[in-house]
Amino acid sequence: MTKLIPVNTLPRPESGAPPPERIISGDPQSRSWNTYATGDEHFFAGIWEADPGSWAIEYTEAEFCHILEGESRITDAEGIVTTVHAGDAFVIPPGFKGVWEVVTHTRKHYAIYQA
């Protein structure tokens, strides 16, 4: 029997930030705990957190997000703003373009599928 794989922050995180040309405001540093990936790396899951700031996003993947703490605003290409808080869950589909703004330190579970 295959064991369950916990999604937690025990492994050492990877630090990151959006590419400089995508940053709109602030210094949005992030940390990711990628706790699972398939061998072909088409699917992976873990925990992500980031500090306040905003940056342009362009998704080629599908991402399921469950916000654990904080507040972020996601603005789509038409200017529609969605504010997400702890407890909110949503999917960002491939082809989504817009802006992710971390208002207060945000942490989320993520599950990503890249075709």
Side-chain angles (χ1 to χ4, degrees):
M1 181 170 115
T2 303
K3 68 178 183 167
L4 295 177
I5 299 161
V7 176
N8 57 39
T9 58
L10 289 180
R12 187 179 189 127
E14 295 177 29
S15 295
E21 66 273 10
R22 289 189 179 219
I23 295 175
I24 297 167
S25 69
D27 184 22
Q29 298 297 308
S30 65
R31 285 140 315 275
S32 297
W33 291 264
N34 199 46
T35 58
Y36 178 78
T38 56
D40 61 9
E41 296 191 12
H42 286 285
F43 176 81
F44 48 102
I47 295 174
W48 172 92
E49 66 181 23
D51 301 323
S54 63
W55 61 97
I57 54 175
E58 294 184 21
Y59 275 68
T60 58
E61 69 277 18
E63 179 179 8
F64 169 80
C65 302
H66 176 235
I67 304 297
L68 300 171
E69 65 183 63
E71 178 181 328
S72 284
R73 284 191 279 264
I74 302 166
T75 305
D76 69 18
E78 286 79 45
I80 297 170
V81 179
T82 302
T83 301
V84 296
H85 302 90
D88 291 338
F90 53 94
V91 172
I92 300 175
F96 184 94
K97 293 181 182 181
V99 174
W100 187 297
E101 177 187 5
V102 173
V103 178
T104 62
H105 178 86
T106 297
R107 179 181 279 216
K108 69 179 179 180
H109 280 130
Y110 63 84
I112 295 173
Y113 175 73
Q114 177 73 56

